[in-house]
Amino acid sequence: MAKYTESKCRLCRREGAKLFLKGERCFKGTCAFEKRPVAPGQHGMGRKKISEYGLQLREKQKCKRIYGVLEGQFRTYYEKADRMKGITGENMLSLLERRLDNVIYRMGIGSSRAQARQLVTHAHFTVNGKNVNVASFSVKVGDVIAVKESKKDNKYFAEIKQMKVGTMPKWLEFDPETLTGKILALPTREDVDVQIAEHMIVELYSK
């Protein structure tokens, strides 16, 4: 499977926005985007007029990079959302939010989606008591996500137990003492805090 191996900070600079791909570092003065908020490369400082297609493409690329999915997967999410009832763009964001790696990130177990994805693929979690190590696993209402009993004494998770629960999306709940979370509802557009103009992505794929 293809994997992006270059600096994640270049992706933020390319999209002209903080995508919060490196966890805590994104909130510190060491953030590369804060130091140099221009596109990478020798022409990054240049001012270019972007076409309508270019704006739509940038929104798609930004969304893909925020959730850490490649083009094939992203297109599949769009096509599935298009077949669902409701607004296609909002359906697509809801499907992306329901990815297991994103849920782990939203619960505060991972400092970034990339770290959450690594925790999932290293088989640290169960869903409804069953082992799940697929980051793209789609959760549903009522699902219970928990750290495996055999992993709870791990130093990383021992520190999670001591943390205070921050602002939690209303569609999720998480108990740090038991390292267990639950899906209370499906995420709606109001629950998605990413700065994405999803209608532009729909327009791009609809051409």
Side-chain angles (χ1 to χ4, degrees):
M1 178 179 175
K3 181 180 179 181
Y4 181 82
T5 57
E6 295 185 34
S7 170
K8 290 183 172 63
C9 294
R10 288 175 62 89
L11 298 181
C12 296
R13 290 174 57 201
R14 179 63 186 88
E15 302 308 331
K18 295 186 72 165
L19 307 182
F20 300 98
L21 303 178
K22 300 201 74 172
E24 294 180 2
R25 180 177 174 181
C26 298
F27 298 94
K28 298 179 180 179
T30 53
C31 173
F33 182 78
E34 294 286 353
K35 292 181 178 179
R36 197 178 181 195
V38 296
Q42 62 178 335
H43 302 298
M45 295 288 288
R47 299 180 65 182
K48 299 178 182 178
K49 184 177 180 180
I50 304 178
S51 65
E52 180 182 5
Y53 171 80
L55 291 172
Q56 293 169 348
L57 179 63
R58 293 268 58 87
E59 285 301 308
K60 184 193 74 166
Q61 294 296 87
K62 187 196 301 183
C63 191
K64 282 169 50 181
R65 288 164 175 172
I66 287 173
Y67 287 99
V69 298
L70 298 177
E71 179 62 33
Q73 274 184 309
F74 194 78
R75 182 68 187 234
T76 299
Y77 282 119
Y78 164 76
E79 292 174 348
K80 185 174 181 179
D82 193 37
R83 295 192 296 268
M84 295 166 62
K85 293 181 180 179
I87 302 173
T88 300
E90 294 183 6
N91 290 340
M92 180 180 66
L93 290 179
S94 178
L95 289 171
L96 289 165
E97 282 287 310
R98 289 165 57 191
R99 286 173 55 96
L100 183 57
D101 57 354
N102 180 75
V103 171
I104 297 302
Y105 166 69
R106 292 293 191 193
M107 288 180 175
I109 302 176
S111 63
S112 67
R113 289 183 178 85
Q115 184 185 43
R117 186 176 306 114
Q118 185 178 49
L119 291 171
V120 172
T121 56
H122 287 185
H124 289 295
F125 300 97
T126 63
V127 178
N128 300 326
K130 297 181 180 179
N131 296 338
V132 177
N133 63 354
V134 179
S136 61
F137 179 88
S138 184
V139 301
K140 59 184 183 298
V141 177
D143 280 353
V144 175
I145 294 95
V147 175
K148 284 183 179 179
E149 287 295 330
S150 61
K151 305 290 185 179
K152 288 184 177 181
D153 291 332
N154 180 290
K155 181 180 177 181
Y156 179 82
F157 293 116
E159 293 176 354
I160 295 290
K161 287 183 179 181
Q162 306 303 318
M163 78 174 191
K164 293 183 178 179
V165 178
T167 303
M168 188 71 56
K170 64 183 181 182
W171 58 285
L172 295 173
E173 69 176 14
F174 176 66
D175 181 359
E177 291 187 9
T178 61
L179 295 174
T180 302
K182 188 174 182 179
I183 311 300
L184 302 177
L186 295 182
T188 63
R189 183 62 182 94
E190 291 72 28
D191 299 318
V192 182
D193 60 0
V194 295
Q195 300 300 311
I196 293 292
E198 65 273 9
H199 68 279
M200 297 181 72
I201 301 173
V202 174
E203 290 170 2
L204 176 67
Y205 277 133
S206 298
K207 291 181 177 179

